[in-house]
Each structure stands twice: as C-alpha cells, then as structure tokens.
Amino acid sequence: MQHTRRLLELMARLRHPQEGCPWDLRQDFASVAPYTLEEAYEVADAIAREDFDDLRLELGDLLLQVVFHAQMAQEAGLFDFEDVAAGICDKLLRRHPHVFAGAVFNTDAERSAAWEAAKAAERAERAPQGGVLAGVALALPALQRAQKLQQRAARVGFDWPDLAPVLDKLDEELAEVRDALAQGDRDAVADELGDLLFVMANLARHLKVDAEDALRRGNAKFERRFAYIEDALRDAGRQAEDCTLAELDALWDAAKAQGL
C-alpha cells in the first residue's frame, strides 16, 4: 500500500496550485478523458500481444488516470480515491453473494441472472426513471455499444428468435444501401450503412461472437496480408503505386494461400 499512498501524494503535488505542473493544473475531467480511453486500449493491446512486462507498465498508466480523476474530484469536493475504492468494494460484495453472503447458485445461468439483476437494481437506484437502454455508455466503441444495446433489448423480449431473420435483415439493409447509392443521397448512404453495421453487430451477437474482437481480427489479417504485399514488392524493387490492381490482388491471394 505504500506505493499507492506515494502515487496519491505525487498526483496531489502535481496539482498543487503553486508548486504543481502547469500542464496538470490546466486539465479537467473532459480533457483527461481521452487519455483514459487511450490507456485502456493500450492495456488491451498489451494483453493481445501477450507482452506482460508492457502490461505491467500500461496498467500503471491506467491507474494514474484513475488517480488523476480522483484528485480532481477531491479538489472539487465531490469524492476522493478512497470513495472510489469503497464503491468498487461494495459493488463486488453486492454482485457476488455466492462468495460473500452465502447465496447458492446451481448453474451458470442462475449466477448470470443474479448478476444482471444486481446491475439492474444499481441502474434503477442511480436513475429511477431510466429505461431499459439507460446507462449504456456513449463513449464505448460503436460496435460494442450496439451489441450492449441489443443485449438490453433482448432481455425484455425484443429480439429475433433465431439466426434466419437476422440474415434476412442483413440482406434487406444491404439492398437499402444499394438503393441509397443509386439515388446519390450521401446522407441516406451514411444512415443505411449505420443500419447495416448495426445488423452486423446483431449477427455477431446471435453467433456469440464479440463484434469488436471480430473486427480487430479482420484488421490484423489485413495488416498481415498487406505487409506481405509490401515485402514482396520490396524484394522485387517495386512499389505498390507502380502496380496494377490485378498485380496487387495476385499478391494478396498469395498471402492468403500462405495462411496469412
């Protein structure tokens, strides 16, 4: 705990009105928020790369973000770091009655239902008039937020019963994208693409696939194959700009054939 205490003291010094860092003193919750998101993604990136030394460092950077926000909140008389820690401790106790309160769940489904009930009670306490979709964070990546919105709606029965109608809806939305393109209406194209992506997220949910993870895999695959193209062209003393699309496609197919 001594290092936690030291970290809190360092952050307080950085925010000291007379002796602190000018940059840190200029910040507020809104200006720090993008850094908080960035650090969270860097934690996820270190995990994906299985670089655990880097993960240790990135977790420290993320912890600094928590401390930064808590320090600003303390200065404003809102809450402090101890309140943050107390809040998450209380939440862990509420959401794990089978560990801390003697409750018995016989199946994963029972545990999951109790977890969701606890979360729903917490949302109702924070926002008594909130609807089913209340509290799904706006700052989430759009695909992830789409799946969470769909999950919430599904809990009250607003969901397709199986995969077939989802696939039909996918065809319908793709046709509407084509229609908007044919009309040359850029706003309509953007709207229809949004609908198409939303249905894609729904398809992933029905297939029990995380849409964000699926897209990350697609991104990584594209990077690997494009790197193969660049390496092959470099070995041949050529550049991508000097090649025809057919030549680039042939190299892409070669990358696929090698399992990249």
Side-chain angles (χ1 to χ4, degrees):
M1 293 297 292
Q2 70 181 52
H3 293 300
T4 303
R5 195 160 48 246
R6 183 177 175 222
L7 176 59
L8 293 170
E9 290 170 354
L10 290 170
M11 190 69 247
R13 177 62 184 275
L14 288 169
R15 292 277 299 179
H16 190 281
Q18 287 78 44
E19 301 173 359
C21 169
W23 185 89
D24 289 278
L25 286 167
R26 284 198 302 271
Q27 305 313 307
D28 57 23
F29 295 115
S31 66
V32 174
Y35 298 104
T36 307
L37 290 172
E38 181 180 340
E39 296 300 348
Y41 283 122
E42 290 182 0
V43 166
D45 180 65
I47 293 170
R49 291 183 285 106
E50 298 187 352
D51 186 336
F52 298 109
D53 188 53
D54 195 31
L55 175 60
R56 174 180 59 83
L57 298 173
E58 296 299 346
L59 284 171
D61 291 343
L62 184 57
L63 177 58
L64 174 61
Q65 299 299 307
V66 177
V67 169
F68 205 149
H69 285 288
Q71 175 63 32
M72 291 188 292
Q74 182 177 341
E75 294 165 5
L78 301 172
F79 56 83
D80 61 15
F81 184 82
E82 281 299 311
D83 295 324
V84 174
I88 192 60
C89 287
D90 291 345
K91 183 180 291 187
L92 287 171
L93 290 169
R94 283 195 307 272
R95 294 191 182 181
H96 296 83
H98 53 299
V99 176
F100 301 112
V104 176
F105 301 130
N106 296 311
T107 65
D108 286 341
E110 289 180 2
R111 276 189 290 274
S112 179
W115 176 275
E116 293 300 337
K119 288 173 64 177
E122 291 164 9
R123 288 195 299 271
E125 185 176 344
R126 291 198 303 268
Q129 303 304 316
V132 171
L133 304 183
V136 181
L138 288 169
L140 284 171
L143 280 176
Q144 184 179 353
R145 189 165 191 270
Q147 285 194 296
K148 284 185 176 291
L149 291 170
Q150 294 159 5
Q151 288 165 356
R152 290 277 189 89
R155 288 178 202 153
V156 296
F158 192 69
D159 195 16
W160 283 298
D162 53 49
L163 193 61
V166 184
L167 293 171
D168 290 340
K169 188 65 174 177
L170 191 63
D171 291 338
E172 176 187 326
E173 294 298 346
L174 182 57
E176 291 179 2
V177 170
R178 294 181 186 277
D179 288 343
L181 283 169
Q183 295 167 16
D185 187 334
R186 301 300 300 174
D187 286 341
V189 169
D191 285 343
E192 298 302 343
L193 277 173
D195 293 344
L196 179 61
L197 288 168
F198 193 82
V199 177
M200 288 295 296
N202 211 345
L203 175 62
R205 183 178 63 85
H206 274 265
L207 293 171
K208 294 181 169 47
V209 171
D210 182 279
E212 282 288 325
D213 182 62
L215 184 54
R216 279 193 293 268
R217 290 187 184 198
N219 289 341
K221 186 186 297 181
F222 182 86
E223 287 178 303
R224 289 195 303 273
R225 291 177 180 175
F226 199 81
Y228 175 92
I229 292 173
E230 290 181 314
D231 289 343
L233 291 175
R234 192 177 300 111
D235 291 342
R238 303 182 66 193
Q239 294 184 343
E241 304 92 286
D242 302 325
C243 299
T244 66
L245 180 57
E247 290 174 318
L248 296 175
D249 278 342
L251 288 170
W252 179 272
D253 290 340
K256 287 178 63 176
Q258 293 194 21
L260 297 178

